[in-house]
Amino acid sequence: MTVVSCTTLHSDSPKMTSAREQAPGDASTDQASPSADTATSTGVPGRKTYKKPKGRPPTPPPIPTIAIFYGFLAVNALAAAFAPIQDCDEVFNYWEPTHYLNRGSGLQTWEYSPEYSIRSWLYIVIHAIVGKFGSMLSSRPSFEFYFIRLALAATCAACETRLCSAICKTFNPRVGIMFGIVMVFSPGMFHASVAYLPSSFSMYTTMLGMAAFMDWRGGLKTSVGMMWFGIGAIVGWPFSLALMVPLLAEDLALSSLTGDVSEIIYRLLDGTVRSLLALVSSRYPIRSNTADSDQALQVAVDTFFYHEVTVVPWNIVYYNVFRGSSRGPEIFGTEPWDFYLRNLSLNFNVWFLLALCAGPVLGLQFLLQGRSATRQSPIRSMVFAAPFYLWLAIFSAQAHKEERFMYPAYPFLALNAALTLHTVLAYIGTSDRTKIVGKIPAKLKLYVVGLSVLLAIDIGVARTIGIYSAYKAPLQVYAPLHEAEFAGTEANVCLGKDWYRFPSSYFLPKGMRAKFIKSAFDGLLPGQFNEAKTGFGFFPGTWLIPPGMNDQNIEDPGKHVGSMNRRP
């Protein structure tokens, strides 16, 4: 059985002690430091690989990798089955286009109009293919919906497992266990893990990128980390690249100290090309001919659907950053600066507070005891704590705020919380009687810590159950329409002021369409994808310009129907 390795081989290189410090009491470490002493030539000019120096064999690991995966999968599967849809953007910008590709009808937002094209069809196509496999098992539309969700749950579980394993190997098994607890029992992860959103996709790739930057066994994996962050930015959300900045800065600093300038240039180019090649083929390393990178899959797919050359990541950045005050995200609502502080407190309770304390606690640990509580140096621990602070600062400064904007940073939040708790436990767990904390009975400390962790878990579970029980209705209210008396009925299902709670056309029987009636909402509602067939080729709704769309959230009366009568 594959298991998580939790010890590391000691590095013989004195040059890396500032970046990788062995904690006192650890007899071995299984990660080799990429130093000059372990470098060998690969035949590629300016490139080196690193041999793992000999040392003590690793001690038996405590947690099998497969057990970690099944634990994450079980919780994510529950989320796939029961989690309410948190954001109407998930429905109208992702579930509805997928329904159109697979079932021929769906609601269309202005973002998918060829006039604006700020949503990529590549992300939709990936999920539509998964949904097609689900439709082979059952013709019921809602089955396809939950099949896609289950696929998202499994993907997230695999990414969580990879990162948790890397944390156990790199920092400490206890840090990895605490990371898993935060991820499993937090309401925020309950809905983010299976959300059909680019920010969730970026969260998946962020976990894989973190693991690559974290794991130095066999040498630095900058190019692999860059590849995953790059895929998350291209296919998912472009802004998620910001999370890579502190990790890349560490690599640049390390290369400048060791003088391997050519090596860092190679890794940067390698990572950039991998990000592009991963979207067009399975070829992993750099090849001598990189012309395929010009045939970026995303551009090809979007050009096919929009019928014109389209670079969606640039369109997203251009609209959100450069379009001026009459456009951009602010026209869809603004929130005060402390919105994310309140939101993350609800979604992660005590874990969020611990995540905020990671930097100060790691610094105090080093100042007071002169060493790190993990196998990594305090500086390297702070490198991995920094992205969460950076992300929180960037998005707290933006006027337009949404809960899903925090999804890519959730793994960093969980890691920060785990590092803080581990460091605190290492301090209070001392048996040194010369210190006040060492005089406290061990059982008392165990009870206090255990009850505190259980309380945090209970709060998270209680909120998760509360969210489900309070907001489960949208996923259930359309079930009577599937009864025999409505079989074959063609009708409009009209939505009023609660239109944003509509769970998608996957919950309507074949022949029924969602329509809107006039309500207090005075912004722009979605329209319908064009369902023309004869003479228009494949998916005409993706390239025919729909009427009444604009990028200023101005109401279009044409999106309303006048009555709740059935369609003729």
Side-chain angles (χ1 to χ4, degrees):
M1 181 179 290
T2 303
V3 290
V4 178
S5 177
C6 298
T7 60
T8 54
L9 296 175
H10 176 63
S11 171
D12 297 320
S13 172
K15 296 183 180 180
M16 295 302 299
T17 54
S18 61
R20 298 181 54 83
E21 180 179 74
Q22 182 178 341
D26 285 340
S28 62
T29 119
D30 72 322
Q31 301 204 43
S33 300
S35 65
D37 294 341
T38 59
T40 60
S41 174
T42 64
V44 179
R47 191 183 181 198
K48 299 175 182 178
T49 57
Y50 303 97
K51 293 181 179 179
K52 184 185 292 185
K54 296 181 180 180
R56 294 185 181 183
T59 56
I63 307 174
T65 302
I66 193 65
I68 298 174
F69 173 74
Y70 283 141
F72 284 129
L73 180 61
V75 174
N76 293 349
L78 288 174
F82 299 109
I85 296 177
Q86 296 284 108
D87 194 327
C88 66
D89 197 60
E90 179 181 351
V91 171
F92 297 110
N93 273 328
Y94 304 101
W95 285 113
E96 287 298 306
T98 305
H99 190 273
Y100 171 71
L101 292 188
N102 283 356
R103 296 181 178 269
S105 66
L107 296 168
Q108 181 182 22
T109 63
W110 68 270
E111 290 99 324
Y112 283 94
S113 171
E115 294 179 286
Y116 309 108
S117 58
I118 66 169
R119 293 287 181 260
S120 175
W121 282 101
L122 175 60
Y123 183 64
I124 303 300
V125 167
I126 293 171
H127 295 77
I129 292 173
V130 174
K132 270 298 183 184
F133 283 104
S135 65
M136 295 177 185
L137 303 176
S138 173
S139 61
R140 195 178 181 91
S142 59
F143 181 87
E144 182 179 325
F145 173 91
Y146 285 109
F147 188 84
I148 294 174
R149 266 196 162 189
L150 187 60
L152 293 173
T155 302
C156 185
C159 296
E160 289 173 307
T161 302
R162 173 70 181 99
L163 179 55
C164 186
S165 175
I167 292 172
C168 284
K169 296 172 183 177
T170 303
F171 288 97
N172 189 285
R174 187 165 67 184
V175 178
I177 293 172
M178 293 170 184
F179 169 84
I181 290 174
V182 177
M183 297 290 277
V184 165
F185 293 106
S186 297
M189 278 302 302
F190 183 74
H191 48 77
S193 61
V194 296
Y196 184 3
L197 289 167
S199 51
S200 281
F201 180 83
S202 294
M203 180 183 72
Y204 303 161
T205 56
T206 291
M207 287 188 275
L208 297 177
M210 288 173 66
F213 274 104
M214 193 178 292
D215 186 1
W216 277 357
R217 293 175 305 155
L220 299 178
K221 299 179 177 64
T222 307
S223 55
V224 179
M226 288 181 63
M227 181 191 73
W228 286 119
F229 277 104
I231 292 174
I234 295 172
V235 181
W237 204 29
F239 304 104
S240 62
L241 275 179
L243 289 166
M244 184 177 64
V245 172
L247 309 182
L248 201 56
E250 179 198 31
D251 200 1
L252 292 171
L254 187 62
S255 296
S256 65
L257 291 174
T258 59
D260 290 334
V261 178
S262 59
E263 176 69 14
I264 185 58
I265 293 175
Y266 177 87
R267 289 198 297 269
L268 292 176
L269 291 175
D270 190 7
T272 301
V273 174
R274 287 188 190 210
S275 300
L276 298 175
L277 290 180
L279 299 178
V280 296
S281 70
S282 60
R283 283 177 291 174
Y284 207 49
I286 285 182
R287 305 292 185 183
S288 58
N289 180 9
T290 59
D292 284 345
S293 64
D294 295 331
Q295 304 170 2
L297 181 59
Q298 185 185 53
V299 175
V301 169
D302 289 331
T303 298
F304 170 80
F305 283 103
Y306 285 121
H307 279 209
E308 61 182 4
V309 178
T310 305
V311 183
V312 170
W314 163 248
N315 292 347
I316 294 174
V317 174
Y318 179 70
Y319 178 79
N320 285 278
V321 179
F322 302 111
R323 286 306 298 270
S325 59
S326 63
R327 293 174 174 83
E330 287 79 9
I331 66 175
F332 299 100
T334 59
E335 298 291 343
W337 68 271
D338 62 341
F339 172 83
Y340 290 123
L341 299 181
R342 292 181 282 113
N343 178 264
L344 293 173
S345 295
L346 288 173
N347 282 327
F348 288 90
N349 57 78
V350 176
W351 308 120
F352 172 55
L353 298 178
L354 291 175
L356 288 177
C357 294
V361 167
L362 290 172
L364 286 173
Q365 167 76 10
F366 180 70
L367 290 175
L368 295 177
Q369 298 192 350
R371 60 181 176 84
S372 173
T374 69
R375 296 191 182 106
Q376 300 303 310
S377 69
I379 294 177
R380 186 146 205 259
S381 297
M382 288 183 182
V383 165
F384 282 94
F388 174 68
Y389 294 114
L390 176 64
W391 191 263
L392 184 61
I394 290 173
F395 283 90
S396 293
Q398 307 304 310
H400 179 66
K401 300 178 178 67
E402 296 187 40
E403 181 176 317
R404 60 192 168 95
F405 294 170
M406 285 291 110
Y407 288 2
Y410 279 180
F412 283 104
L413 185 156
L415 175 60
N416 280 21
L419 286 172
T420 300
L421 185 56
H422 171 76
T423 303
V424 171
L425 291 179
Y427 176 74
I428 67 175
T430 181
S431 57
D432 187 354
R433 305 292 293 181
T434 62
K435 299 179 180 179
I436 296 178
V437 70
K439 298 178 181 179
I440 301 175
K443 287 187 177 181
L444 177 60
K445 290 187 284 189
L446 178 62
Y447 290 148
V448 171
V449 171
L451 289 175
S452 299
V453 172
L454 286 176
L455 178 62
I457 292 174
D458 289 344
I459 293 174
V461 172
R463 177 164 174 78
T464 299
I465 295 174
I467 291 174
Y468 166 72
S469 61
Y471 297 100
K472 63 182 179 181
L475 296 178
Q476 301 174 351
V477 71
Y478 298 94
L481 296 177
H482 292 271
E483 294 177 0
E485 62 180 297
F486 295 105
T489 300
E490 292 190 356
N492 292 333
V493 177
C494 294
L495 310 173
K497 66 176 183 178
D498 290 329
W499 62 271
Y500 55 88
R501 298 194 187 279
F502 178 58
S504 83
S505 298
Y506 278 105
F507 291 85
L508 299 180
K510 182 179 180 180
M512 292 190 181
R513 302 287 187 271
K515 298 288 184 177
F516 302 98
I517 58 174
K518 177 61 180 174
S519 66
F521 180 74
D522 60 358
L524 181 65
L525 290 165
Q528 297 280 336
F529 279 106
N530 194 307
E531 298 179 26
K533 293 181 174 61
T534 305
F536 287 93
F538 296 104
F539 310 114
T542 66
W543 60 270
L544 291 174
I545 297 177
M549 294 297 187
N550 63 81
D551 62 352
Q552 296 177 280
N553 200 27
I554 299 173
E555 183 178 24
D556 172 31
K559 300 294 190 297
H560 303 133
V561 293
S563 68
M564 298 182 67
N565 295 330
R566 292 183 177 181
R567 292 186 301 171

